C-alpha cells in the first residue's frame, strides 16, 4: 500500500514524509548507502535507493555501524544527508584497532566455511556505471563472499542483461609484459622469426639472413644457421632493429587476437579475467578500441582485495559503486541509469603517483610480473579490469546484530594477500566450461599447460611467443602430425630408421614409433632455451608423458589443443582454428569419457551388434535362397508343363515321330557313352518332373511358413538397428541416457538386455550379451571402424591386392623418406573413434554424412535393379505377344512364368516401399545437412541441437530399417515432435520425415510381414 507513495516521494526530492500510517524513513532504509557518506548532497539531486520496500521486499531496519547514524530519521524530518559522527575514542587507539583487525582476519576463514552456501538472485546487488574516458556501459554485481555464484544465478543475470549464457569462458594465461616489448632475443633469433627479422633489417639497410625456401621436405637437412644466441648478435645489440621488430610483432599479435576475439563472438564465448590481468586482455582491448571485435568480457574479484584497499583512490571508487548499488532484479537492470565514475584514476595527467604511468600512461611499462616492485601503484594493479563488461565483486559483510538486518560491507576487512583468488568462493568452471589461451610466459606455465592438456580443457597456444608456449607449440605441432592426411610421411623424421609400419598405421602405432630424443632435438634446434628458467625448460620426461597421454586419449588431444601462428597464418586460418577449438565442447562428456567402464560398455554393444548383424545376414541369405528356390521350381514346372503339352501335340499330328530316336553321346575316358531316347521316353521323364516339382515347391513353402525365416530375419535385423540407435543415444547422452553417467550406464545395459530378450520369440537364447564368441572384436579402432563402415554404410573392406599394393608403397616411403609423394597413394582417410562420446559436430561427421551417402548409393542401386528387372518383364511379355502373333501360342505360359519370376525378384530385391523410404530418408538427411550448414556456431553448440539431431537421424534410420524388414517393432523413448531442427526454415523436411515415419509405422503395425507386403505364408507370385 506504500509503494506508490514511496515512488511519489522519491520524485519529490527533499520533501517531508506525509500520509498517516506510512512507514518511517528509518524503517524503509532509504538513506542507507544512498551516496558516499562524505558527500554533502545526493548525486544528481536524486535519491538512488538500494532497498525499495514492496510486498516481496518488506522494509528492514537500518543497521547500525560506526559510519552510519545511530538513529533513523523520524517522520517529519527532512531527508538530508547525515554527517559522519566522531568515532569512539577507544577506536583511536592504534593498538586496539590492530587487535580488532587481526581478530577479524582470524575468524574470516571460519566465517566463510561455516556460512558458505549457494547464492540466490535476491542476494545480489547491482550497479550500472560508466568510467570517464572508457567507452561503454558496465555492470557490477556484488555478492557476499559467504555465498557461491551458481549457474542459475548467472542465468538470471544474463536474462536481466539480455545476454545468452556463455558456451565457454576463455581465460588468458600470460605475463604482464607490455605488448610493445613482447619478443625476446631468443625468439628473434629462432628460425620462425627470420622472415620478420629480414624485413626489419631491410627497412634499416641491414643484410638479412638467407632463408631456406627451396621447397625441400622436412626430412632433408636444415640450413646450417644456428639458433644459439651470441653476445654480439644484432637481435641483442641493435636497439632500432629490436624496436622495429617489436612494433611489427605487436601488430601481428593484435591481428591474431582480433581473429580469436571474432571467433569467440561467433561461438558465444566470454573472456574471463580474475584479479590479475594478463597481456591477453591488453591485446584484446587494442582490438576492441578499434571496434573490430565484440566479445563479451567478464571479470571476477574480491571488492576488499588488499591490492585495491591499500590505495585510497581505488578504495573510494569501490565504496562509491557499492553505495550506489540496488537489489538486483529485472526491473532494476532495465530501469537503472548508469552512474558515472570519474576516470582520473586511469588518466596519466591526473594520476601521478606512479612514475612510469605519469610519463607514458598505458603506452609503456617495464614490469612483467605482479611480483615486480615497479608494478605497485600502477592502475593496472590497483583495480579490477576496467574494460570488462560484467564484473562480479564478492565482498565481506559486516556482522549484524540480528538476522532481520541487512549487513553492510565491512570496509575494515582486507584480504591477506594481494590479488587473492583463493578467498573467492568461486571457480570459473562452476558457470561454464573453461578454455585457456597461452601467450608467452615463464612463471609456472609449463605445469599449467601440461595440466590443462591432461584435463582435456580447450586450449589455444599462441606460437612464436616467448619461452614455454614456443617450446610446447613445437611439441604439439609434431604430435599433431599423426592426425594429418599423410601421417606416415609426416612423422618419419622423428622415427628410427629401422622402424617398419603398415600402410595404415594407427595413431598409437605412430606415437609408439616416434623417438622422444628426436623430438627433443628438433625442439632444441628450433628454439634457444637459454633465457628460460631451468624448471620451465622442456625435458624428455615431459615429452614421454605427453606422448603417453595422447596414446590413451587421441580424440581429446586433437580436439582440445590448438596452435595458432601469428607470423605465418592468415587471419581467416586463425579464426577457423579458434572457432574449431572453442566449438569442440568436451565438458558434457568429460566425466563419461574418462571412465574405462563407459568405453567397455560401448565395445560390448558393438560386439552385440556384430553378432546380430551376422545372424541377420545368414537368415537373409537363407530367406533369399528359399524365395528364389520356390520361384525357380514354379518356373520350371510351368516350362515343363508347356513342353509336355507340345510333345503330345506333336505325337498327335506326327505319328511317325514315335519311331524317331534321339542320340546323345559323350566321351568318357577311352569310351563313348551314347544315350538313345524317343518322344515317349522324353514324355515319361517330364511327367516324373511335373510330379516332383510341385511337391518340392509345396515342401519349400511349408518350410518357409514353418520356420518363418523371413520373420526371424526381420526381427534380428530390427534388433541390430535398435542396438545401433541405443549406442548413438548413449554416446550423445540424449534420450533415455540424459542425466548422470552412472544412471545412463545402468540403463544402457538394461536396454541392451531387453533387446536380446525380445528375440526369444524367434528362437534365440537370452545370453547373447554374455556370449564370448566375439570376445576378440574389435582388435583396434580400425577394426571397429571397418565393421561400422561395412555393416552400416555398405563400405566393403579393402581387398588383398589393394592392401598388398599399399604395403609396397609404404615400404617405398620408409626406404626412401624423400619420396613423400608416394604416401598419397595410400588411404589417407582420418581414423574415427566409434566408441568416443559425440557432440553435434562429430555426430554429423561419423553418422549423418555417411548415412546420407549410403542412402543415396542404395537408392541408385535399387532403382537400377528395379529398372533392369522391369525391362526383362516387359521384354518377356513382348516376346509372349510375338509368339501369339506367330501362331506359337503354346509357349505363351512360359513367357508369363518368366515375367512372374522377374516380378518376384522385384518384390524381394527392390520393393517400391523400400525405394520410397530410402528416397525420403535421403532427402530428409540432405535437408538436415543444409540446415546444419546454415546454422551459426552458437546454434550448433546447443545441447538441444544435438538432441534433436541424434533423435531425428535415428528415427529416419529406424524407419528405413522397418520398411526394409517389415517388422513390427516400435522405437521407444522418442518424441514424434523432434523435427524442430528443420524449422522454421522449411517444413518440407519435417513433412517428409513425418510421412516416412507414418508409412513405416502403418507397415510395421500390420503384424509380421513378408517381403511381399502380405501377412502369413504366401507364394512368390502373390502381390
Amino acid at each position: 500500500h506504500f509503494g506508490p507513495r514511496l515512488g511519489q516521494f522519491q520524485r519529490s526530492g527533499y520533501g517531508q514524509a506525509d500520509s498517516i500510517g506510512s512507514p518511517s524513513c528509518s524503517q524503509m532504509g532509504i538513506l542507507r548507502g544512498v551516496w558516499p557518506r562524505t558527500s554533502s548532497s545526493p548525486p544528481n539531486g536524486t535519491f538512488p535507493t538500494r532497498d525499495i520496500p514492496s510486498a516481496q521486499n518488506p522494509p528492514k531496519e537500518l543497521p547500525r555501524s560506526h559510519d552510519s547514524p545511530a538513529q533513523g530519521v523520524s517522520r517529519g524530518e527532512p531527508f538530508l544527508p547525515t554527517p559522519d559522527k566522531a568515532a569512539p575514542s577507544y577506536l583511536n587507539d592504534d593498538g586496539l584497532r590492530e587487535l580488532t583487525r587481526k581478530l577479524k582476519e582470524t575468524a574470516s576463514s571460519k566465517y566463510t566455511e561455516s556460512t558458505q552456501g549457494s547464492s540466490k538472485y535476491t542476494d545480489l546487488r547491482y550497479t550500472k556505471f560508466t568510467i570517464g574516458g572508457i567507452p561503454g556501459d558496465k555492470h557490477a554485481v556484488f555478492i557476499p563472499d559467504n555465498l557461491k555464484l551458481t549457474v542459475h544465478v548467472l542465468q538470471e543475470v544474463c536474462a536481466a542483461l539480455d545476454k545468452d549464457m556463455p558456451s565457454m569462458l576463455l581465460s588468458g594465461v600470460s605475463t604482464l609484459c607490455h605488448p610493445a616489448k613482447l619478443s625476446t632475443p631468443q625468439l628473434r633469433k629462432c628460425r620462425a622469426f627470420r622472415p620478420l627479422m629480414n624485413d626489419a633489417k631491410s627497412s634499416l639497410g641491414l643484410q638479412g639472413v638467407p632463408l631456406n625456401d627451396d621447397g625441400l621436405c622436412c626430412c632433408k637437412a636444415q640450413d646450417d644457421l644456428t639458433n644459439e644466441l651470441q653476445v654480439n648478435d644484432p637481435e641483442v645489440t641493435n636497439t632500432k632493429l629490436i624496436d622495429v621488430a617489436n612494433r611489427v610483432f605487436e601488430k601481428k599479435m593484435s591481428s591474431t587476437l582480433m581473429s580469436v576475439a571474432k571467433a569467440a563472438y561467433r561461438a558465444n564465448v566470454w573472456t574471463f579475467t580474475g584479479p590479475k590481468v594478463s597481456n591477453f586482455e591488453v591485446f584484446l582491448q587494442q582490438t576492441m578500441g578499434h571496434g573490430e571485435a565484440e566479445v563479451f568480457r567478464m571479470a571476477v574479484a574480491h571488492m576488499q582485495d588488499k591490492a585495491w584497499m591499500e590505495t585510497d583512490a581505488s578504495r573510494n571508487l569501490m565504496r562509491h559503486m557499492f553505495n550506489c548499488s540496488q537489489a538486483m532484479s529485472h526491473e532494476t537492470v532495465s530501469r537503472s541509469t548508469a552512474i558515472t565514475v570519474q576516470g582520473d584514476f586511469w588518466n596519466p595527467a591526473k594520476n601521478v603517483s606512479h612514475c612510469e604511468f605519469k610519463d607514458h600512461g598505458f603506452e609503456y611499462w617495464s614490469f612483467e610480473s605482479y611480483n615486480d616492485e615497479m608494478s605497485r601503484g600502477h592502475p593496472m594493479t590497483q583495480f579490477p579490469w576496467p574494460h570488462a563488461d560484467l564484473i562480479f565483486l564478492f565482498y565481506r559483510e559486516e556482522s549484524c546484530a540480528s538476522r532481520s538486518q541487512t549487513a553492510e560491507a565491512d570496509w575494515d576487512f582486507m584480504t591477506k594477500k594481494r590479488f587473492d583468488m583463493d578467498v573467492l568462493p568461486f571457480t570459473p568452471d562452476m558457470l561454464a566450461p573453461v578454455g585457456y589461451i597461452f601467450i608467452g610466459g615463464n612463471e609456472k606455465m609449463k605445469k599449467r599447460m601440461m595440466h590443462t592438456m591432461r584435463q582435456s580443457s580447450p586450449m589455444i597456444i599462441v606460437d612464436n611467443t616467448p619461452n614455454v608456449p614456443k617450446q610446447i607449440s613445437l611439441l604439439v605441432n609434431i604430435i599433431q602430425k599423426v592426425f594429418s592426411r599423410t601421417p606416415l610421411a609426416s612423422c618419419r623424421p622423428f622415427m628410427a630408421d629401422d622402424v617398419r609400419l603398415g600402410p595404415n598405421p594407427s595413431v598409437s602405432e605412430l606415437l609408439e614409433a616416434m623417438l622422444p630424443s628426436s623430438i627433443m632435438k628438433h625442439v632444441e634446434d628450433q628454439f634457444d632455451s637459454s633465457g628460460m628458467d631451468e624448471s620451465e625448460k622442456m625435458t624428455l620426461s615431459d615429452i614421454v608423458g605427453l606422448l603417453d597421454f595422447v596414446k590413451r586419449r587421441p580424440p581429446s588431444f586433437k580436439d582440445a589443443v590448438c596452435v595458432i601462428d601469428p607470423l605465418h597464418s592468415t587471419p581467416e586460418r586463425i579464426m577457423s582454428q579458434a572457432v574449431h577449438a572453442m566449438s569442440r565442447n568436451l565438458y558434457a562428456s568429460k566425466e563419461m569419457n574418462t571412465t574405462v567402464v563407459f568405453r567397455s560398455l560401448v565395445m560390448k554393444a558393438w560386439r552385440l551388434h556384430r553378432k546380430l548383424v551376422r545372424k541377420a545376414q545368414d537368415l537373409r541369405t537363407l530367406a533369399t535362397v528359399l524365395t528364389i528356390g520356390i520361384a525357380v521350381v514354379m518356373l520350371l514346372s510351368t516350362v515343363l508343363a508347356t513342353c509336355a503339352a507340345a510333345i503330345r501335340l506333336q505325337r498327335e499330328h506326327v505319328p511317325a515321330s514315335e519311331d524317331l530316336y534321339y542320340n546323345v553321346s559323350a566321351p568318357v575316358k577311352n569310351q563313348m557313352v551314347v544315350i538313345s531316347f524317343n518322344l515317349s521316353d522324353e514324355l515319361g521323364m517330364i511327367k516324373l518332373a511335373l510330379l516332383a516339382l510341385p511337391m518340392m515347391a509345396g515342401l519349400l513353402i511349408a518350410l518357409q511358413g514353418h520356420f518363418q525365416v523371413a520373420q526371424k530375419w526381420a526381427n534380428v535385423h530390427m534388433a541390430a538397428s535398435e542396438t545401433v540407435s541405443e549406442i548413438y543415444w548413449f554416446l550423445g547422452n540424449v534420450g533415455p541416457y540424459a542425466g548422470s553417467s552412472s544412471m545412463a550406464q545402468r540403463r544402457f545395459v538394461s536396454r541392451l538386455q531387453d533387446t536380446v530378450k525380445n528375440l526369444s520369440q524367434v528362437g534365440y537364447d537370452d545370453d547373447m550379451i554374455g556370449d564370448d564368441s566375439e570376445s576378440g572384436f574389435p582388435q583396434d579402432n580400425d577394426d571397429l571402424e571397418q565393421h561400422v563402415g561395412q555393416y552400416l554404410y555398405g563400405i566393403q573392406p579393402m581387398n588383398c591386392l589393394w592392401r598388398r599394393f599399399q604395403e609396397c608403397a609404404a615400404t617405398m616411403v620408409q626406404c626412401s623418406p624423400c619420396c613423400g609423394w608416394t604416401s598419397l597413394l595410400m588411404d589417407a582417410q582420418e581414423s574415427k573413434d566409434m566408441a568416443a562420446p559425440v557432440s553435434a559436430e562429430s555426430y554429423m561427421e561419423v553418422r549423418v554424412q555417411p548415412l546420407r551417402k549410403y542412402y543415396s548409393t542404395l537408392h541408385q542401386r535399387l532403382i537400377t535393379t528395379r529398372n533392369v528387372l522391369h525391362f526383362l518383364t516387359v521384354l518377356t511379355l513382348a516376346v509372349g505377344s510375338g509368339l501369339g502373333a506367330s501362331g506359337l501360342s503354346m509357349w505363351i505360359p512360359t513367357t508369363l512364368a518368366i515375367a512372374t519370376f522377374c516380378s518376384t525378384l522385384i518384390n524381394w530385391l527392390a520393393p517400391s516401399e523400400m525405394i520410397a523410404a530410402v528416397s525420403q530418408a535421403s532427402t530428409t538427411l540432405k535437408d538436415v545437412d543444409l540446415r546444419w550448414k546454415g546454422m551459426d556456431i552458437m546454434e550448433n553448440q546447443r545441447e538441444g541441437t544435438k538432441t534433436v539431431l541424434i533423435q531425428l537421424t535415428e528415427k529416419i534410420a529406424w524407419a528405413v530399417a522397418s520398411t526394409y524388414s517389415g517388422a513390427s517393432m516400435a522405437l521407444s523413448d522418442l518424441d514424434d515432435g523432434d523435427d524442430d531442427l528443420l524449422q522454421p526454415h522449411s517444413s518440407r523436411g519435417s513433412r517428409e520425415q513425418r510421412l516416412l515415419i507414418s508409412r513405416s509405422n502403418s507397415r510395421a503395425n500390420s503384424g509380421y510381414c513378408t517381403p511381399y507386403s502380405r501377412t502369413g505364408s504366401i507364394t512368390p507370385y502373390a502381390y
Side-chain angles (χ1 to χ4, degrees):
H1 66 283
F2 50 80
R5 296 180 181 274
L6 178 61
Q8 181 182 4
F9 174 76
Q10 289 174 337
R11 291 190 297 268
S12 63
Y14 293 122
Q16 297 184 359
D18 53 2
S19 178
I20 300 176
S22 300
S24 66
C25 299
S26 61
Q27 291 174 333
M28 290 189 294
I30 294 178
L31 286 182
R32 174 171 46 84
V34 173
W35 57 79
R37 302 301 181 188
T38 56
S39 176
S40 59
S41 63
N44 301 327
T46 59
F47 287 88
T49 61
R50 290 200 302 157
D51 286 332
I52 301 177
S54 63
Q56 291 78 18
N57 187 19
K60 300 178 181 179
E61 185 179 353
L62 184 68
R64 301 179 182 180
S65 59
H66 65 273
D67 62 344
S68 61
Q71 302 291 338
V73 182
S74 61
R75 281 196 310 268
E77 286 185 322
F79 279 89
L80 299 176
T82 307
D84 292 342
K85 293 188 176 182
S89 59
Y90 67 86
L91 288 181
N92 294 329
D93 185 79
D94 294 338
L96 290 177
R97 186 182 294 274
E98 182 67 18
L99 178 61
T100 303
R101 186 183 65 82
K102 288 185 176 181
L103 289 175
K104 288 185 177 182
E105 289 183 356
T106 304
S108 62
S109 59
K110 296 182 179 179
Y111 161 80
T112 302
E113 295 177 358
S114 61
T115 61
Q116 192 176 90
S118 297
S119 60
K120 300 179 181 179
Y121 192 56
T122 55
D123 298 323
L124 309 183
R125 310 206 65 79
Y126 169 79
T127 298
K128 185 177 181 180
F129 66 100
T130 59
I131 299 177
I134 299 178
D137 292 340
K138 307 182 183 307
H139 311 272
V141 179
F142 300 91
I143 310 171
D145 62 2
N146 63 331
L147 302 176
K148 291 182 179 179
L149 180 61
T150 61
V151 177
H152 175 71
V153 172
L154 181 62
Q155 291 174 346
E156 294 286 345
V157 172
C158 291
L161 298 178
D162 195 19
K163 292 290 295 183
D164 293 332
M165 283 284 291
S167 62
M168 191 176 73
L169 299 177
L170 183 63
S171 176
V173 182
S174 63
T175 62
L176 203 56
C177 176
H178 193 275
K181 60 185 189 70
L182 187 61
S183 67
T184 62
Q186 292 80 10
L187 197 62
R188 295 189 290 268
K189 184 69 174 179
C190 72
R191 286 190 175 93
F193 255 74
R194 286 177 186 173
L196 186 149
M197 296 303 298
N198 281 350
D199 293 340
K201 291 177 180 179
S202 176
S203 65
L204 297 175
L206 302 176
Q207 183 178 1
V209 177
L211 301 178
N212 187 18
D213 290 334
D214 53 359
L216 297 178
C217 62
C218 61
C219 52
K220 289 198 172 184
Q222 300 287 348
D223 52 79
D224 297 330
L225 296 173
T226 179
N227 289 318
E228 295 182 1
L229 196 65
Q230 306 297 328
V231 178
N232 56 351
D233 283 339
E235 288 81 4
V236 180
T237 58
N238 194 327
T239 56
K240 292 184 178 179
L241 178 64
I242 295 174
D243 290 340
V244 172
N246 279 332
R247 286 198 300 270
V248 175
F249 186 54
E250 180 184 6
K251 292 181 180 179
K252 289 184 175 291
M253 283 293 297
S254 297
S255 175
T256 297
L257 295 182
M258 180 180 66
S259 300
V260 174
K262 290 181 179 179
Y265 176 75
R266 288 182 57 186
N268 190 30
V269 174
W270 294 4
T271 63
F272 168 77
T273 306
K276 293 184 178 180
V277 179
S278 66
N279 54 21
F280 168 65
E281 284 82 8
V282 179
F283 274 116
L284 192 62
Q285 179 54 34
Q286 292 181 354
T287 64
M288 299 287 285
H290 293 85
E292 298 290 345
E294 300 178 0
V295 61
F296 193 79
R297 294 167 290 182
M298 183 184 79
V300 177
H302 201 287
M303 187 179 68
Q304 292 129 317
D305 194 285
K306 186 177 181 180
W308 21 91
M309 289 296 102
E310 290 177 337
T311 306
D312 292 338
S314 58
R315 180 189 181 96
N316 292 335
L317 286 176
M318 287 289 185
R319 191 163 186 170
H320 175 59
M321 291 169 56
F322 182 81
N323 289 338
C324 293
S325 65
Q326 306 177 50
M328 189 168 188
S329 64
H330 291 269
E331 293 77 11
T332 301
V333 175
S334 59
R335 297 178 182 177
S336 62
T337 57
I339 65 171
T340 301
V341 176
Q342 294 297 327
D344 296 345
F345 187 70
W346 295 275
N347 188 352
K350 301 292 184 65
N351 188 354
V352 296
S353 59
H354 192 272
C355 58
E356 288 185 348
F357 183 72
K358 174 184 176 182
D359 297 334
H360 307 285
F362 290 103
E363 298 298 326
Y364 173 80
W365 59 78
S366 61
F367 51 89
E368 298 184 2
S369 170
Y370 283 90
N371 298 326
D372 195 328
E373 191 63 29
M374 281 300 298
S375 67
R376 290 183 175 270
H378 197 279
M380 290 278 293
T381 64
Q382 291 186 326
F383 198 83
W385 184 233
H387 298 281
D389 300 297
L390 175 63
I391 305 177
F392 287 103
L393 293 172
F394 290 87
Y395 67 95
R396 178 61 52 86
E397 290 181 317
E398 193 178 50
S399 59
C400 298
S402 65
R403 294 184 178 180
S404 61
Q405 293 177 328
T406 302
E408 289 282 345
D410 186 0
W411 296 107
D412 290 333
F413 172 77
M414 182 186 302
T415 59
K416 295 182 180 179
K417 57 183 180 181
R418 303 171 74 237
F419 315 107
D420 195 351
M421 190 72 181
D422 298 333
V423 74
L424 302 179
F426 166 82
T427 54
D429 55 5
M430 295 168 59
L431 303 181
V434 183
Y436 301 91
I437 179 169
F438 293 89
I439 306 173
N442 204 24
E443 296 182 358
K444 300 180 180 180
M445 185 170 285
K446 184 180 77 172
K447 182 179 179 181
R448 181 79 175 271
M449 295 180 74
M450 291 295 184
H451 177 74
T452 303
M453 289 184 189
R454 291 187 174 90
Q455 293 295 320
S456 297
S457 299
M459 60 184 299
I460 300 174
I461 307 173
V462 183
D463 195 4
N464 294 313
T465 54
N467 301 330
V468 179
K470 176 61 180 177
Q471 284 195 325
I472 297 296
S473 62
L474 290 170
L475 174 59
V476 170
N477 285 332
I478 294 173
I479 295 178
Q480 286 185 340
K481 292 179 182 294
V482 302
F483 305 110
S484 64
R485 293 190 59 84
T486 57
L488 191 60
S490 301
C491 299
R492 185 63 197 171
F494 308 102
M495 299 179 184
D497 296 335
D498 57 347
V499 173
R500 294 292 181 266
L501 298 175
N504 293 312
S506 63
V507 172
S508 300
E509 292 174 345
L510 290 170
L511 294 173
E512 189 69 30
M514 297 175 73
L515 299 176
S517 58
S518 299
I519 298 176
M520 187 70 187
K521 184 177 182 303
H522 174 80
V523 174
E524 291 175 348
D525 290 342
Q526 294 293 320
F527 181 71
D528 182 11
S529 60
S530 59
M532 299 175 58
D533 297 338
E534 291 297 328
S535 60
E536 295 297 306
K537 292 182 179 180
M538 186 181 298
T539 61
L540 279 176
S541 60
D542 298 329
I543 299 176
V544 173
L546 187 56
L547 289 175
D548 291 339
F549 167 75
V550 180
K551 291 176 190 176
R552 294 192 305 269
R553 303 177 63 183
S556 299
F557 178 82
K558 177 188 174 184
D559 294 336
V561 182
C562 169
V563 177
I564 58 177
D565 188 354
L567 297 182
H568 305 100
S569 296
T570 62
E572 293 77 14
R573 169 65 176 166
I574 293 173
M575 187 167 66
S576 175
Q577 289 180 283
V579 167
H580 179 80
M582 295 176 189
S583 61
R584 293 283 184 158
N585 193 343
L586 306 177
Y587 185 80
S589 59
K590 183 185 298 183
E591 180 183 0
M592 292 190 298
N593 193 25
T594 54
T595 61
V596 180
V597 178
F598 177 84
R599 192 173 186 86
S600 64
L601 288 177
V602 177
M603 289 299 182
K604 181 179 292 187
W606 281 121
R607 283 193 288 270
L608 173 62
H609 176 261
R610 184 180 179 88
K611 300 170 192 174
L612 291 172
V613 76
R614 286 189 168 185
K615 289 182 181 295
Q617 274 191 342
D618 296 339
L619 290 171
R620 173 73 178 183
T621 302
L622 181 57
T624 303
V625 169
L626 288 175
T627 301
I628 297 179
I630 295 172
V632 169
V633 168
M634 291 191 170
L635 175 62
L636 291 176
S637 300
T638 305
V639 173
L640 291 178
T642 306
C643 291
I647 291 173
R648 288 180 179 177
L649 289 176
Q650 184 179 3
R651 287 175 60 184
E652 293 177 357
H653 291 85
V654 186
S657 60
E658 287 283 350
D659 299 330
L660 295 178
Y661 282 85
Y662 302 92
N663 298 323
V664 178
S665 61
V668 178
K669 292 185 179 181
N670 297 329
Q671 298 179 356
M672 183 69 68
V673 176
V674 179
I675 300 176
S676 299
F677 60 92
N678 57 12
L679 289 180
S680 299
D681 297 332
E682 184 179 355
L683 186 59
M685 293 296 298
I686 292 176
K687 288 180 178 180
L688 291 176
L690 288 176
L691 179 63
L693 288 177
M695 295 177 60
M696 185 181 297
L699 178 61
L700 292 177
I701 293 175
L703 292 175
Q704 186 187 51
H706 177 72
F707 292 104
Q708 295 184 345
V709 180
Q711 286 77 14
K712 290 181 180 180
W713 161 74
N715 282 274
V716 176
H717 177 71
M718 287 304 302
S721 300
E722 188 174 358
T723 301
V724 174
S725 297
E726 295 287 347
I727 290 173
Y728 281 110
W729 292 340
F730 184 59
L731 293 177
N733 196 30
V734 301
Y737 307 113
S740 63
S741 60
S742 58
M743 180 63 69
Q745 291 169 5
R746 289 194 296 268
R747 187 171 296 173
F748 184 58
V749 175
S750 175
R751 290 171 68 89
L752 289 180
Q753 291 174 347
D754 293 340
T755 301
V756 175
K757 288 179 181 179
N758 292 333
L759 293 177
S760 59
Q761 58 180 333
V762 292
Y764 290 118
D765 297 332
D766 293 342
D767 58 350
M768 190 174 292
I769 292 182
D771 187 10
D772 295 333
S773 59
E774 297 288 349
S775 58
F777 172 82
Q779 296 180 356
D780 52 22
N781 188 52
D782 292 336
D783 194 11
L784 177 58
E785 185 178 359
Q786 179 178 327
H787 163 79
V788 173
Q790 180 179 358
Y791 292 107
L792 291 186
Y793 311 121
I795 303 174
Q796 296 302 321
M798 190 184 307
N799 56 51
C800 298
L801 293 178
W802 180 248
R803 186 180 298 276
R804 188 63 180 172
F805 175 75
Q806 286 198 349
E807 290 177 356
C808 295
T811 304
M812 292 175 59
V813 173
Q814 295 180 11
C815 294
S816 180
C818 294
C819 300
W821 60 270
T822 56
S823 61
L824 298 176
L825 298 174
M826 298 181 294
D827 186 13
Q829 186 176 4
E830 189 176 321
S831 178
K832 303 179 181 65
D833 189 1
M834 297 298 175
V838 295
S839 60
E841 184 177 358
S842 61
Y843 183 78
M844 285 289 299
E845 181 181 356
V846 302
R847 179 64 169 161
V848 177
Q849 294 175 356
L851 193 63
R852 176 192 168 192
K853 183 178 180 181
Y854 169 65
Y855 284 160
S856 178
T857 305
L858 179 61
H859 182 259
Q860 293 297 328
R861 187 167 67 247
L862 291 173
I863 289 293
T864 302
T865 302
R866 191 174 180 88
N867 289 339
V868 170
L869 292 175
H870 273 147
F871 174 76
L872 292 177
T873 303
V874 173
L875 181 62
T876 54
L877 293 176
V879 171
S881 299
L883 291 174
S886 303
L888 301 175
S889 58
M890 177 64 66
W891 298 97
I892 291 179
T894 302
T895 59
L896 293 177
I898 296 175
T900 306
F901 177 75
C902 293
S903 299
T904 300
L905 294 181
I906 290 175
N907 287 324
W908 178 256
L909 299 178
S912 59
E913 298 89 348
M914 184 63 182
I915 294 176
V918 173
S919 175
Q920 292 168 8
S922 179
T923 303
T924 305
L925 288 179
K926 180 180 179 180
D927 204 356
V928 169
D929 191 30
L930 291 175
R931 296 285 80 78
W932 170 266
K933 293 177 181 178
M935 295 165 63
D936 56 22
I937 298 177
M938 295 170 57
E939 292 178 342
N940 290 345
Q941 282 186 331
R942 292 188 320 172
E943 191 69 18
T945 301
K946 181 182 72 172
T947 301
V948 172
L949 180 64
I950 294 178
Q951 292 188 348
L952 177 58
T953 305
E954 297 308 320
K955 270 186 178 181
I956 294 172
W958 170 83
V960 172
S962 178
T963 304
Y964 180 45
S965 62
S968 176
M969 184 176 293
L971 192 65
S972 58
D973 294 316
L974 283 183
D975 184 11
D976 290 336
D978 291 331
D979 19 281
D980 295 338
L981 185 67
L982 304 175
Q983 300 292 345
H985 307 284
S986 172
S987 60
R988 178 174 58 89
S990 60
R991 184 173 62 252
E992 290 175 349
Q993 191 265 348
R994 287 193 293 268
L995 179 61
L996 175 65
I997 298 297
S998 63
R999 287 188 177 182
S1000 302
N1001 286 339
S1002 62
R1003 180 172 162 79
N1005 293 333
S1006 61
Y1008 285 119
C1009 296
T1010 67
Y1012 312 106
S1013 304
R1014 293 285 296 270
T1015 59
S1017 299
I1018 60 171
T1019 65
Y1021 304 107
Y1023 289 91

